[in-house]
Amino acid sequence: MLITSEIVDLNTPTGVMRTYVHRPKHDGKVPAVLFYSEIFQQTGPIERAARFLAGHGYAVLVPEVFHELNPIGTILGYDDAGRDKGNADKMAKDVQAYDTDNRAMIDYLNAQSWYDGNLGAAGFCIGGHLAFRAALQPEVKATACFYATDLHTNIIPNKPGQHSMDRINEIKGELLMIWGKQDPHIPGDKRAELYNRFAAVPGLHYTWHEFNGQHAFMRDEGERYDAQLVNIGYQLTLQMFGNVLK
């Protein structure tokens, strides 16, 4: 399937948010996926992942997650400087600002003739957390969270009652949770705590998968990339999206 890519700049209460839109080139209506990057924003690996999903029949929106804190178009490097800046940005943005970011993207989608009204979310690393956060939006029907960081911590600024896990009971769509057992950012005891909290929510529709993988095993650059796990992760994601969104 051929795809097309464009840039849209969306107004949010916290400033203009550049958003990269990758979607099938045909004229038919398609479901959409809000796709959240790592702390580095839309790097090459994130763009390739977004285009991969788009090639399976989805309009994929990649927002600049720290648009308030960087010049438009900022891409951070996979190096110490980029990691330090991205982590500083993560701790400088209130989690509720992501809610208004989500509303801006949903409002944009609702105005597009090619959008069929079926919405999912996905993300890697902090993007897995932000995809989980997007699942709080009532329009989001299916969400794939890859090694979602800081669901088990209080690092991301939040007001009382606004931590993402504090609102898990509001999620009505399906969740796909994928983790790496060798991920030091979400160690086994913390994954177990999260699992127990998921299991305690009546009616929560989710699947939980733990693989022998390191943090960022979906990133197709660097030594942690695991092509076999990538295939499994995409298979699970596309199966869920196909069942729920199409």
Side-chain angles (χ1 to χ4, degrees):
M1 183 180 293
L2 297 179
I3 65 172
T4 183
S5 299
E6 62 180 318
I7 292 172
V8 296
D9 291 332
L10 304 178
N11 291 318
T12 79
T14 56
V16 175
M17 178 175 66
R18 174 149 294 182
T19 304
Y20 303 86
V21 181
H22 311 279
R23 61 184 179 88
K25 203 170 185 178
H26 62 69
D27 294 329
K29 291 182 177 290
V30 295
V33 175
L34 308 180
F35 184 52
Y36 300 88
S37 69
E38 310 154 308
I39 57 174
F40 309 97
Q41 303 204 121
Q42 191 187 249
T43 59
I46 292 298
E47 181 178 0
R48 288 189 289 273
R51 290 171 63 86
F52 176 85
L53 292 173
H56 285 78
Y58 301 92
V60 182
L61 278 63
V62 185
E64 291 188 341
V65 293
F66 302 135
H67 61 88
E68 304 93 335
L69 305 169
N70 296 281
I72 287 176
T74 293
I75 298 173
L76 301 177
Y78 289 127
D79 53 24
D80 290 343
R83 189 176 302 106
D84 290 346
K85 179 63 167 70
N87 281 324
D89 289 347
K90 177 178 72 172
M91 292 185 284
K93 180 171 179 176
D94 188 284
V95 72
Q96 290 178 273
Y98 300 109
D99 299 337
T100 53
D101 290 350
N102 288 324
R103 290 312 314 172
M105 288 189 287
I106 293 170
D107 290 345
Y108 164 80
L109 283 169
N110 287 335
Q112 306 310 307
S113 61
W114 41 258
Y115 175 50
D116 73 1
N118 292 298
L119 184 61
F124 302 161
C125 191
I126 189 180
H129 184 143
L130 300 184
F132 180 92
R133 187 78 188 186
L136 296 173
Q137 302 294 328
E139 293 91 344
V140 175
K141 300 178 180 179
T143 303
C145 302
F146 287 81
Y147 37 88
T149 56
D150 297 315
L151 285 177
H152 69 284
T153 72
N154 205 33
I155 290 176
I156 298 177
N158 60 89
K159 295 178 175 63
Q162 285 298 323
H163 188 286
S164 298
M165 284 298 294
D166 290 343
R167 298 181 60 188
I168 187 173
N169 63 314
E170 299 176 36
I171 296 175
K172 304 305 179 186
E174 184 170 348
L175 292 169
L176 168 65
M177 307 301 297
I178 294 178
W179 311 92
K181 290 183 179 180
Q182 285 75 51
D183 186 345
H185 300 287
I186 314 111
D189 60 332
K190 300 304 179 184
R191 294 195 306 273
E193 290 176 9
L194 287 171
Y195 178 83
N196 289 335
R197 292 188 67 179
F198 273 65
V201 180
L204 186 66
H205 190 186
Y206 70 97
T207 57
W208 188 279
H209 305 268
E210 297 190 14
F211 298 106
N212 285 316
Q214 300 183 48
H215 187 72
F217 65 75
M218 295 292 291
R219 185 196 301 160
D220 65 3
E221 290 181 11
E223 61 185 14
R224 290 176 284 179
Y225 173 62
D226 190 318
Q228 288 184 323
L229 293 186
V230 168
N231 287 337
I232 294 170
Y234 280 138
Q235 181 181 27
L236 291 169
T237 299
L238 291 171
Q239 181 180 31
M240 177 183 66
F241 284 166
N243 289 341
V244 178
L245 303 182
K246 290 187 174 182

